[in-house]
Amino acid sequence: PASITGVGFEADLLILKAKNAGQQWHWFYKDGATTKSLNPASSAAPATMSNVNFNSDGMTFSDDDPSYNGNGNSYVWVAIKFN
């Protein structure tokens, strides 16, 4: 699985977008012990994500969805910790 490491903290929210044209922003957040995904360009309810996990120094992605973990893609992201 691919990872974002070296963050220095366990994030509560990850906002991420592939730089490739046509990809949407993805918001991943912790809801208790569950990770949820929200697409701000959609009116759909948040989805439970078993393939995105927050850890003590970043995040791990266990699939290769090109919108947030595609091989050879570049991404822009921000991780936020709520106090």
Side-chain angles (χ1 to χ4, degrees):
S3 299
I4 296 173
T5 59
V7 176
F9 57 89
E10 184 172 350
D12 295 309
L13 172 66
L14 170 67
I15 302 171
L16 175 132
K17 182 186 185 306
K19 289 183 178 180
N20 308 23
Q23 297 293 345
Q24 300 292 326
W25 285 96
H26 289 278
W27 294 31
F28 301 102
Y29 64 95
K30 293 190 307 187
D31 185 12
T34 305
T35 299
K36 300 275 187 157
S37 172
L38 179 66
N39 181 341
S42 170
S43 61
T48 299
M49 301 293 292
S50 61
N51 51 355
V52 178
N53 296 296
F54 291 92
N55 56 52
S56 63
D57 195 34
M59 289 63 78
T60 302
F61 306 93
S62 60
D63 70 354
D64 60 357
D65 185 316
S67 65
Y68 58 84
N69 187 32
N71 188 21
N73 290 347
S74 296
Y75 298 88
V76 60
W77 59 271
V78 62
I80 298 169
K81 174 75 176 168
F82 301 122
N83 288 327

